[in-house]
Amino acid sequence: MTDRQQLLQDIKPLSFDGVNPDKPLVIAGPCSAESESQVLDTAKSLAKNGIKIFRAGIWKPRTKPGGFEGVGIKGLLWLQEVKKETGMLTATEVANHEHVVAALDSGVDILWIGARTSANPFAMQEIADALKGHNDVTVLVKNPVNPDIELWIGAMLRIYNAGVRRIGAIHRGFSTYGKHLFRNEPQWHIPIELHRRIPNLPILCDPSHMGGKRELIGPISQQALDMGFNGLIIESHCNPDCALSDAKQQVTPDSLNLIINTLVLRQTKQSTENLALLRQRIDECDNELLEVLSRRMAIAREIGQYKKEHNMQVVQAQRYSTMMSQRHNQAEELGMSGDFIETVMQAVHEESVRQQIRVINSNAL
């Protein structure tokens, strides 16, 4: 067992009074608390539809100055009113020591840490220091803006080292440059790797920030549940088109209710003989892939020897470009994603180059 697993093995599950532990956890509410009436109207509608945990941003980090940066501490009074009138638990984002103290003093049940903050070890340590002595609080940590699993784990370790054991991760995707289908690229392999390393860590999905469009919330939520995520945190607003922040990715409480009721929960704990046979076939395919790759690398070393003898450069740019284009088209003809195969072939090419360089540099003067 690694040191990391030893540190995180006693993390507690995300269980709350009145929340069914046999169903995925759902946290919902507006991106930002904008007014008392907006908060209460949204909360009452969500509570009517069975949502038990209400989220709302009190402090909002903005990319550029001048935008709506949240209502601040007075919004915490609105969250107190939500608990009083609906019985819902409450959750909000914190980014520094003052936020933590104010939220805990106001009785907020769940704190989450945003992607910008989780990427900053100094800010994470400040938050961790503020949490010392509050061992029963629940803290959820969003992935950093960049796809760095070590940074994500490090952020959670700081919270753990403060004595907190009710810790969860939120996957909200990763920032990319340019226009894409998703606001933040899912890169599902990263939370999968996180689960492999820390199997007992609860992981929630944030389809609102991942998709950036309300029509993507349903499909992303279904994919997350299909992959075994423990729950969802979704932005819901009583009048989303008039929201002061992230209007396009928020849904009404009734729309959220429809989305949740159409989600399909797969049987994840029951294995069948047919599934075992299919997995065996996957293993066989993987073995064949490894053998083919081994033969490919052997040929790459032969090419390296030829280039060494003829004093040739290792990378032939035109050849590489042509190969990638051909493999992309071949993949699509075979019913696979061309982009996926480009990613695979890029990794294969990089290893081939490494093998050739090793041959060329062997016994070099």
Side-chain angles (χ1 to χ4, degrees):
M1 181 178 292
T2 66
D3 291 340
R4 181 180 294 120
Q5 289 172 327
Q6 289 176 341
L7 281 171
L8 297 177
Q9 65 179 339
D10 59 340
I11 285 178
K12 296 181 180 179
L14 299 180
S15 59
F16 305 94
D17 291 340
V19 180
N20 188 344
D22 297 325
K23 291 185 177 181
L25 187 69
V26 178
I27 302 172
C31 172
S32 302
E34 301 166 357
S35 68
E36 184 173 11
S37 61
Q38 170 249 5
V39 167
L40 290 175
D41 287 350
T42 304
K44 289 176 181 178
S45 295
L46 290 169
K48 180 187 68 175
N49 291 333
I51 302 298
K52 303 295 185 181
I53 305 176
F54 181 79
R55 57 141 290 157
I58 303 300
W59 303 277
K60 298 300 299 181
R62 298 292 89 186
T63 301
K64 296 179 180 178
F68 176 66
E69 296 184 332
V71 295
I73 288 180
K74 67 179 181 181
L76 295 173
L77 299 176
W78 306 340
L79 294 185
Q80 289 178 335
E81 196 64 24
V82 166
K83 294 183 71 170
K84 179 180 177 181
E85 295 199 20
T86 69
M88 300 174 80
L89 301 174
T90 57
T92 198
E93 179 178 352
V94 294
N96 59 38
H97 182 280
E98 289 74 16
H99 293 173
V100 173
V101 172
L104 293 179
D105 286 349
S106 298
V108 174
D109 302 285
I110 301 169
L111 308 181
W112 83 79
I113 298 168
R116 291 177 174 89
T117 307
S118 65
N120 184 340
F122 293 107
M124 286 305 308
Q125 190 58 53
E126 180 181 335
I127 292 170
D129 291 341
L131 286 167
K132 289 179 179 177
H134 299 279
N135 296 355
D136 291 333
V137 68
T138 298
V139 181
L140 307 176
V141 182
K142 288 193 175 185
N143 61 261
V145 290
N146 51 312
D148 187 336
I149 192 171
E150 297 298 339
L151 197 58
W152 196 2
I153 292 174
M156 289 183 282
L157 280 173
R158 291 179 188 274
I159 302 301
Y160 180 94
N161 289 340
V164 178
R165 293 296 179 267
R166 296 168 65 88
I167 301 173
I170 300 176
H171 178 48
R172 47 80 81 185
F174 302 93
S175 298
T176 55
Y177 180 75
K179 292 184 178 181
H180 302 272
L181 172 62
F182 299 100
R183 177 179 176 182
N184 295 294
E185 289 295 321
Q187 299 201 37
W188 295 106
H189 64 284
I190 294 180
I192 289 173
E193 174 63 13
L194 179 66
H195 178 67
R196 187 191 70 81
R197 296 194 194 185
I198 314 174
N200 59 322
L201 177 71
I203 306 179
L204 279 64
C205 180
D206 179 351
S208 303
H209 281 89
M210 187 178 291
K213 309 180 197 65
R214 56 182 65 115
E215 59 266 25
L216 292 178
I217 290 175
I220 293 173
S221 297
Q222 184 64 65
Q223 183 164 356
L225 295 184
D226 289 347
M227 296 175 69
F229 278 56
N230 302 94
L232 306 164
I233 178 168
I234 301 177
E235 292 186 344
S236 180
H237 191 296
C238 58
N239 189 6
D241 289 332
C242 297
L244 298 181
S245 59
D246 291 345
K248 293 182 180 180
Q249 66 190 43
Q250 300 194 65
V251 295
T252 65
D254 286 342
S255 295
L256 176 62
N257 191 48
L258 178 62
I259 290 170
I260 291 174
N261 287 332
T262 55
L263 294 175
V264 178
L265 300 181
R266 316 290 183 191
Q267 292 291 332
T268 58
K269 297 180 181 178
Q270 185 177 9
S271 179
T272 66
E273 183 178 354
N274 286 340
L275 181 58
L277 291 173
L278 290 170
R279 286 172 173 166
Q280 182 179 349
R281 289 168 60 188
I282 287 287
D283 290 340
E284 292 171 356
C285 289
D286 287 346
N287 291 336
E288 292 175 10
L289 278 172
L290 289 172
E291 290 174 2
V292 170
L293 286 171
S294 177
R295 293 199 300 271
R296 192 186 194 281
M297 294 307 157
I299 297 171
R301 290 191 292 273
E302 290 184 32
I303 292 174
Q305 183 63 37
Y306 182 90
K307 290 177 178 177
K308 178 180 180 180
E309 293 171 356
H310 293 81
N311 197 29
M312 296 173 63
Q313 291 182 340
V314 172
V315 177
Q316 307 293 319
Q318 184 59 47
R319 158 68 181 165
Y320 176 70
S321 178
T322 301
M323 180 195 71
M324 293 295 281
S325 178
Q326 289 175 343
R327 302 299 182 264
H328 183 283
N329 294 336
Q330 288 173 315
E332 293 191 338
E333 289 175 2
L334 293 170
M336 292 183 290
S337 164
D339 291 340
F340 161 70
I341 289 301
E342 283 193 22
T343 300
V344 172
M345 293 308 301
Q346 181 179 359
V348 170
H349 181 260
E350 288 175 358
E351 177 61 16
S352 296
V353 169
R354 190 186 71 81
Q355 296 270 350
Q356 291 181 40
I357 290 175
R358 189 172 67 178
V359 170
I360 289 174
N361 290 334
S362 62
N363 299 321
L365 296 178

